[in-house]
């Protein structure tokens, strides 16, 4: 399973990369990964005109888009559309940051802090 990852390099520049989550254990309920640590879950809604201009995340966290895509731009200029049902790991805490923007529709998402 592939997820997006937004991270910062040693100069504070943010970049995207893809991370492959290994699915290893198959049983009657499907194939699953190992258990990843998490500290809780945050439910969020954002309006159709939402724009969170340049910012760094306050914590490492997974973000799961539930029902609408949104656009994320890294400080290196790469832009990705994170689609409905997609997951990304945000870990650019000490960085130049990133920009997040709705694509004309409200969005529900889950934020899952991992530290």
């Amino acid at each position: 399973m592939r997820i997006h990852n937004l991270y910062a390099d040693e100069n504070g520049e943010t970049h995207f990369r893809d991370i492959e989550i290994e699915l290893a254990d198959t049983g009657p309920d499907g194939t699953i990964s190992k258990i990843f640590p998490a500290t809780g879950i945050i439910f969020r809604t954002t309006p159709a005109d939402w724009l969170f201009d340049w910012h760094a995340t306050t914590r490492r966290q997974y973000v799961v888009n539930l029902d609408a895509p949104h656009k994320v731009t890294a400080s290196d200029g790469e832009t990705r559309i994170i689609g409905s049902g997609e997951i990304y790991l945000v870990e650019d805490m000490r960085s130049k940051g990133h920009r997040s923007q709705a694509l004309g529709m409200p969005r529900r998402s889950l934020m899952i802090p991992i530290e």
Side-chain angles (χ1 to χ4, degrees):
M1 175 182 298
R2 181 190 62 84
I3 68 170
H4 305 273
N5 177 221
L6 182 66
Y7 70 98
D9 66 20
E10 61 278 352
N11 297 318
E13 197 76 53
T14 57
H15 308 278
F16 280 106
R17 62 183 165 202
D18 295 324
I19 296 175
E20 191 66 32
I21 303 298
E22 182 179 347
L23 302 176
D25 191 13
T26 301
D29 59 343
T31 303
I32 61 173
S33 73
K34 69 176 185 177
I35 295 175
F36 287 83
T39 61
I41 187 168
I42 300 164
F43 297 84
R44 175 172 67 177
T45 62
T46 52
D49 62 352
W50 177 70
L51 171 64
F52 195 1
D53 216 352
W54 294 103
H55 66 284
T57 190
T58 57
R59 63 188 162 262
R60 291 182 69 225
Q61 62 188 341
Y62 293 99
V63 178
V64 182
N65 280 353
L66 297 176
D67 58 0
H70 77 290
K71 180 168 66 170
V72 181
T73 303
S75 66
D76 70 2
E78 182 178 356
T79 297
R80 289 194 181 187
I81 304 298
I82 311 296
S84 300
E86 289 192 308
I87 302 165
Y88 69 111
L89 172 58
V90 184
E91 49 187 357
D92 66 330
M93 294 179 299
R94 286 170 286 287
S95 70
K96 296 177 183 177
H98 64 278
R99 186 174 194 260
S100 301
Q101 181 177 2
L103 295 174
M105 60 195 84
R107 176 177 65 108
R108 292 180 297 172
S109 60
L110 302 176
M111 298 184 305
I112 306 167
I114 55 177
E115 289 181 357

